[in-house]
Amino acid sequence: MGATGIIVQRSRLLVLLLLLALLPGCSPGRFPPGQADSFHPIALQAEGFDDLEFLRPLLEGKRVVQLGENAHGIREYNLIKARIVRFLHEELGYDVLAFESALYQCYDADLTAAKASARSTLTSCAFGVWHTEEVLPLFEYLRTTRGGGRPLRLAGIDVQPIGNNKEGRPGFLAAAVASGDPEYAVEVFTLDSLFLDV
């Protein structure tokens, strides 16, 4: 993974996955004692982050934050997640946005995110379930961070290949492995090439 692997190891990671434990009705077991019954309304759209400040003490010392929803495509979840991601990046120092989407395609989309349109980055990285107008502001924000000193990096955490550039994946994976084990890199290349053929 080259530089991206280093970033993930040294940075705080934000993962969009299955459970948004920050909304009411979700498992209170994820909150520190005494805060499980707290209700913190979150605005769907707002300029500031006052409504998200309750997250600061909850996430202190945490390297990974997992967001998600109980069903894909719900407008409100996507709008809230876009705001939470901005807060986590701007205020709490999280630098990697990892989607439940194709590892290589998200890596490839991250390389071109500064110059590509937000829509292009979204559709070349994320699975189709994320291709909504409500997710687009998140990718617009990701693009704007490329002009500063602390870009929000994009990563995928799924092995399913998508898109028309997947033929580059075996070489990408082999190169990532080669720095540690050149012989195994050959096996990785062969296995992933076979996987893509199937």
Side-chain angles (χ1 to χ4, degrees), residues 42-62:
I42 299 173
L44 296 179
Q45 297 173 321
E47 288 300 315
F49 298 122
D50 291 345
D51 59 327
L52 299 175
E53 281 296 327
F54 76 95
L55 295 173
R56 193 178 296 273
L58 294 173
L59 299 178
E60 187 175 339
K62 307 294 188 287

Side-chain angles (χ1 to χ4, degrees), residues 9-165:
Q9 292 169 3
R10 293 185 183 164
S11 297
R12 300 168 112 197
L13 178 65
L14 171 63
V15 180
L16 292 177
L17 282 176
L18 300 175
L19 178 65
L20 183 57
L22 305 174
L23 293 178
C26 294
S27 171
R30 301 206 190 297
F31 290 99
Q35 294 184 6
D37 297 325
S38 299
F39 176 77
H40 300 278
I42 299 173
L44 296 179
Q45 297 173 321
E47 288 300 315
F49 298 122
D50 291 345
D51 59 327
L52 299 175
E53 281 296 327
F54 76 95
L55 295 173
R56 193 178 296 273
L58 294 173
L59 299 178
E60 187 175 339
K62 307 294 188 287
R63 294 194 64 217
V64 177
V65 175
Q66 183 175 337
L67 303 178
E69 69 276 327
N70 61 3
H72 289 310
I74 296 175
R75 176 183 181 272
E76 291 78 8
Y77 284 155
N78 290 329
L79 291 172
I80 288 172
K81 285 189 290 189
R83 289 196 60 239
I84 291 173
V85 168
R86 285 188 72 160
F87 174 73
L88 294 175
H89 181 250
E90 292 177 16
E91 300 291 324
L92 300 184
Y94 289 84
D95 292 324
V96 179
L97 174 62
F99 265 84
E100 182 186 12
S101 286
L103 174 99
Y104 176 67
Q105 281 73 18
C106 287
Y107 170 80
D108 200 40
D110 183 67
L111 294 177
T112 60
K115 295 182 180 178
S117 71
R119 186 175 306 277
S120 174
T121 302
L122 166 63
T123 58
S124 63
C125 164
F127 292 148
V129 70
W130 303 109
H131 299 180
T132 69
E133 292 301 315
E134 293 79 23
V135 176
L136 201 52
L138 178 58
F139 280 79
E140 289 167 354
Y141 173 71
L142 184 132
R143 185 175 190 264
T144 65
T145 69
R146 298 311 166 98
R150 233 185 76 241
L152 179 61
R153 306 309 304 216
L154 183 60
I157 57 170
D158 199 305
V159 298
Q160 296 179 66
I162 62 168
N164 58 4
N165 66 341

